């Protein structure tokens, strides 16, 4: 029995097998670490973590019944992202194996392909400072390889802090989730930061290139459980659920003057991470909170100098935002 693991699905070579001894040959064809766990009929066994491009085996004796087969990495966060399927085991006598393309579960809402998001509520600018949950993030940082050193420096002084200032502005956009290559975005953010500067961002095109630990999902994904303890994207953001997450390039202006046509943009409409009042980060696992916090992160394009802003980046939240979805 072979199993292929990738972002975000588990594919088995057969969906139905006969009871008895079975060896799973598991290959990680994805870009981040995964594992395989089999659960059911009193069994719960897993491989160790399998690095991208590597393989492992798992030998079990299975009784008749239905088993869940999934990736347990990140306290089951990969499972929640869709890496789960079923294996049916029939009687040992007369059972036949049926090849099939294993089905997967997705957090995306069926039939929903577009979302319109409008920022609302208090607007805040997040300024450089220490990350308030360093002990929680530390074990996850071990998995980030060459990125680890840079992320550890952000723990001490980075963009995921409790150092916030009131800002003002508007942000509205539409995002279309149409697969790995056809996603698109359209929207404008205009805001004034704590130093009095006036900024304008015009979203242009999506980013589609995946990098280890930072999949782009084609540029737009409607419904994503990540960050924090999931080992999917930086653990210096609490674990969250999002109605939409997108990665894009945009045209950025400061006080009416073009700064860059290649600003790197990350946007999330996510479960609330900050409390009212001082807007400090309120939780390490915020995934069960109401989804109404709109987060806009803007970084210089590849090879470009830092922005003339604290920390060289722009990070702005609209704390009570809303959205509408459609199939268009």
């Amino acid at each position: 029995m072979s199993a292929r693991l990738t972002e975000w699905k588990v594919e088995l070579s057969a969906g139905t097998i006969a009871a008895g001894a079975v060896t799973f040959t598991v290959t990680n064809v994805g870009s981040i670490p995964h594992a395989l766990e089999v659960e059911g009929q009193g069994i719960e066994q897993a491989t160790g973590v399998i690095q991208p491009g590597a393989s492992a085996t798992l030998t079990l004796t299975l009784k008749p019944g239905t088993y869940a087969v999934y990736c347990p990495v990140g306290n089951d966060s990969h499972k929640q992202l869709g890496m789960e399927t079923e294996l049916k085991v029939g009687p040992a006598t007369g059972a036949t194996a049926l090849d099939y393309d294993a089905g997967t579960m997705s957090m995306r809402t069926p039939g929903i392909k577009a979302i319109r998001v409008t920022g609302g509520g208090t607007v805040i600018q997040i300024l450089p400072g220490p990350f308030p949950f360093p002990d929680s993030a530390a074990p996850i940082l071990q998995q980030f390889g060459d990125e680890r050193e840079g992320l550890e420096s952000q723990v001490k002084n980075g963009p995921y802090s409790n150092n916030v200032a009131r800002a003002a502005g508007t942000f509205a956009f539409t995002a279309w989730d149409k697969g790995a290559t056809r996603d698109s975005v359209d929207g404008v953010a205009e805001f004034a930061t704590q130093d009095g500067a006036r900024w304008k961002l015009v979203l242009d095109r999506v980013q589609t290139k995946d990098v280890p630990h930072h999949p782009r999902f084609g540029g737009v994904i409607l419904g994503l459980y990540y960050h924090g303890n999931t080992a999917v994207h930086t653990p210096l953001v609490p674990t969250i659920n999002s109605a939409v997450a997108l990665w894009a390039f945009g045209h950025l202006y400061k006080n009416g003057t073009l700064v860059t046509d290649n600003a790197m943009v990350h946007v999330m409409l996510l479960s609330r991470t900050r409390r009212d009042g001082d807007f400090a980060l309120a939780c390490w696992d915020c995934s069960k909170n109401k989804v109404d916090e709109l987060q806009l992160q803007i970084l210089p394009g590849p090879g470009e100098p830092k922005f003339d802003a604290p920390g060289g980046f722009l990070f702005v939240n609209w704390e009570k935002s809303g959205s509408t979805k459609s199939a268009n």
Side-chain angles (χ1 to χ4, degrees), residues 64-267:
T66 300
Y67 295 79
V69 183
Y70 57 90
C71 176
V73 168
N75 292 327
D76 288 350
S77 63
H78 289 197
K79 178 181 178 182
Q80 294 190 48
L81 284 166
M83 295 189 69
E84 180 180 28
T85 190
E86 285 188 347
L87 175 65
K88 294 182 179 180
V89 177
T93 302
T96 59
L98 176 65
D99 287 341
Y100 85 126
D101 182 9
T104 61
M105 297 171 59
S106 173
M107 290 184 64
R108 303 184 189 207
T109 306
I112 300 298
K113 293 295 183 182
I115 187 169
R116 176 69 176 173
V117 178
T118 302
T122 302
V123 185
I124 59 171
Q125 179 184 7
I126 294 89
L127 303 168
F131 182 62
F133 306 112
D135 293 340
S136 297
I140 313 301
L141 288 172
Q142 305 297 321
Q143 303 178 36
F144 276 70
D146 293 341
E147 286 187 72
R148 177 182 167 187
E149 184 176 349
L151 289 171
E152 287 178 339
S153 70
Q154 291 184 5
V155 171
K156 300 175 183 177
N157 188 45
Y160 310 105
S161 76
N162 287 340
N163 185 13
V164 303
R166 293 294 183 108
T170 61
F171 185 22
F173 68 90
T174 302
W176 291 267
D177 184 3
K178 296 185 177 182
T181 60
R182 298 185 297 118
D183 293 353
S184 59
V185 293
D186 179 40
V188 176
E190 296 185 86
F191 54 91
T193 48
Q194 53 90 31
D195 58 0
R198 294 177 292 104
W199 298 87
K200 180 178 180 179
L201 173 74
V202 181
L203 293 173
D204 183 14
R205 62 199 186 280
V206 296
Q207 299 178 40
T208 59
K209 183 179 179 180
D210 290 338
V211 295
H213 300 286
H214 300 278
R216 299 288 192 257
F217 306 98
V220 175
I221 183 168
L222 302 184
L224 184 61
Y225 174 84
Y226 71 136
H227 285 303
N229 64 14
T230 70
V232 180
H233 287 261
T234 175
L236 302 185
V237 173
T239 309
I240 58 95
N241 269 309
S242 65
V244 60
L246 67 86
W247 295 263
F249 292 101
H251 309 284
L252 182 67
Y253 302 83
K254 181 180 182 182
N255 297 327
T257 300
L258 179 67
V259 175
T260 176
D261 285 318
N262 291 294
M264 298 181 67
V265 181
H266 179 37
V267 178

Side-chain angles (χ1 to χ4, degrees), residues 306-325:
K306 292 182 177 181
F307 300 145
D308 182 16
F313 60 84
L314 294 166
F315 194 163
V316 181
N317 278 15
W318 285 258
E319 287 298 314
K320 291 188 178 180
S321 303
S323 65
T324 56
K325 296 178 179 179

